Amino acid sequence: MSKLVVVGTVAFDAIETPFGKTDKILGGAATFIGLSASHFNTEIGLVSVVGGDFPQEYLDMLTSRGMNIDGIEVVKEGKTFFWSGKYHNDMNTRDTLVTELNVLADFNPVVPESFRDAEVVMLGNLHPAVQLGVMEQTPAAKLIVLDTMNFWMDSALDLLHQVIAKVDVITINDEEARQLSGEYSLVAAARKIHAMGPKYVVIKKGEHGALLFHEEHMFFAPALPLEKVFDPTGAGDTFAGGFAGFLAASGDYSFENMKRAIIYGSNFASFAVEKFGTERMQTITNEQIDARLEQFKALTKFEINN
Amino acid sequence: MSKLVVVGTVAFDAIETPFGKTDKILGGAATFIGLSASHFNTEIGLVSVVGGDFPQEYLDMLTSRGMNIDGIEVVKEGKTFFWSGKYHNDMNTRDTLVTELNVLADFNPVVPESFRDAEVVMLGNLHPAVQLGVMEQTPAAKLIVLDTMNFWMDSALDLLHQVIAKVDVITINDEEARQLSGEYSLVAAARKIHAMGPKYVVIKKGEHGALLFHEEHMFFAPALPLEKVFDPTGAGDTFAGGFAGFLAASGDYSFENMKRAIIYGSNFASFAVEKFGTERMQTITNEQIDARLEQFKALTKFEINN
């Protein structure tokens, strides 16, 4: 079986949306990525850090879904990373209320020995220095996927450029692609980011879908139009996890197969937003995934013979 | 051959974008709709009004593209409708600088006798009273398509609701769908608008594509991601013209065929934005349309066998 290393936050989130609010619940990029990737036939090794306040039951849940957590360091005397945010009525914009780095401030990632030969590495949103550290410990990787955000463009752009230069795929949202490239057109932005290193550029547009660029090829996957978006937290991570998990399990990193990976990523993301936090991702079944896949197929299918 | 009645403005536009500005050039909803629909095998009758200041060469251009202009009233002593706008740097938002109704203020549409048996009617953006007047003169219509905008929701909502109740298809942009329905989710908005009358609801999302809703079915057509959008003026009208023209020519008003119609509408709209005003729509060739159709097919095509 192939191996997939996932680095990212494992965290507490407190979320407020127009539909309700939560206390501290399970969150974090690596958590969402792992839950999503766990639907595919690949060994997942999570690399992260939590504090002594992190419940054993959360760790047990990750293990029960087949994830290896040897790479999650537990700092007994520390506190787990905590993020709190409030979504506006349109659900597309949010205010960050609290960010407590806690144990993340001094995190030095260690990839377990048994995962240093992983074929695929998913660099979830974290400090670029941490992402670089993980890449150094996974020299056999055939596919490295980077997810990042504007926060690192503002605070650690040089290091981020070092990461971008080394990865095969970057996933980034539309506004961040514009910031990183200085181009408004996403076609022009993708071309510039392509020149920074990644052979594949995935631009996430939230409810408006996702674009995949490779050389002169383009692919577009819609987001599934939903009756109700309950909580968008973790949708991008869930997308990235489905994308990387599918590719790791198949071992086929071609453009054609990346299209499929993007559809799976979009499929999982459409579930993630249906409940608070990771709740929905913990309950989806293969039957539900397959049924929604049929919806995705129907959504864009047309036949014109000219 | 089938007949298509198009009602809407035939106008002067003055446009400013980050890439340049124009003096008064040819514009208007009916102009863009007609130019787009003229690529299909259907007789087009334009219904509109212009002033004595409207150049004969513009009318000749419409005629030369096979459009019947008997329904364009020329008010010799009046002035043609004039709109001027300035687009912001993102090209998605604009300020209206000037709106001079002129001859449009007292417009009483007359559908030529030879078009009163038209199968398809395209009600371009205009006062709902004018749209109602055209419907009364086309009792044989099998398919009526309505395009409208927020301006009429603000100023003539009751009349607009009368129009909406009588049409088969409504095309409307996302913000307008939200305003009309009071629902943020486009799925929920489409359901409410469906209940107002139209069996088919098309929600235009500009650069984010278009959604078609019919009963419990959904179809999504992406907009073609472009290197550069030069001038978005008329893109929505061009979309509607391609949609209505394709359906009129084929005589097949099924959901499956409306998918094709939406792809053609999106195809033409992707050309319309490449130059100022109607310039690009006057020069596209069948070869260019076919080549872009292949791009549209490739853009969303994927194969997953599960």
Side-chain angles (χ1 to χ4, degrees), chain A residues 191-205:
Chain A
R191 185 172 300 131
K192 281 209 177 165
I193 296 169
H194 186 66
M196 296 173 190
K199 293 185 289 292
Y200 298 88
V201 177
V202 178
I203 299 182
K204 302 176 288 185
K205 305 201 297 170

Side-chain angles (χ1 to χ4, degrees), chain A residues 214-256:
Chain A
H214 173 58
E215 295 167 354
E216 293 305 306
H217 302 289
M218 268 193 298
F219 175 67
F220 175 78
L224 196 69
L226 295 170
E227 182 84 31
K228 191 168 178 178
V229 170
F230 193 82
D231 172 20
T233 310
D237 302 313
T238 303
F239 172 89
F243 177 80
F246 178 81
L247 292 171
S250 69
D252 173 356
Y253 315 134
S254 67
F255 181 70
E256 277 307 304

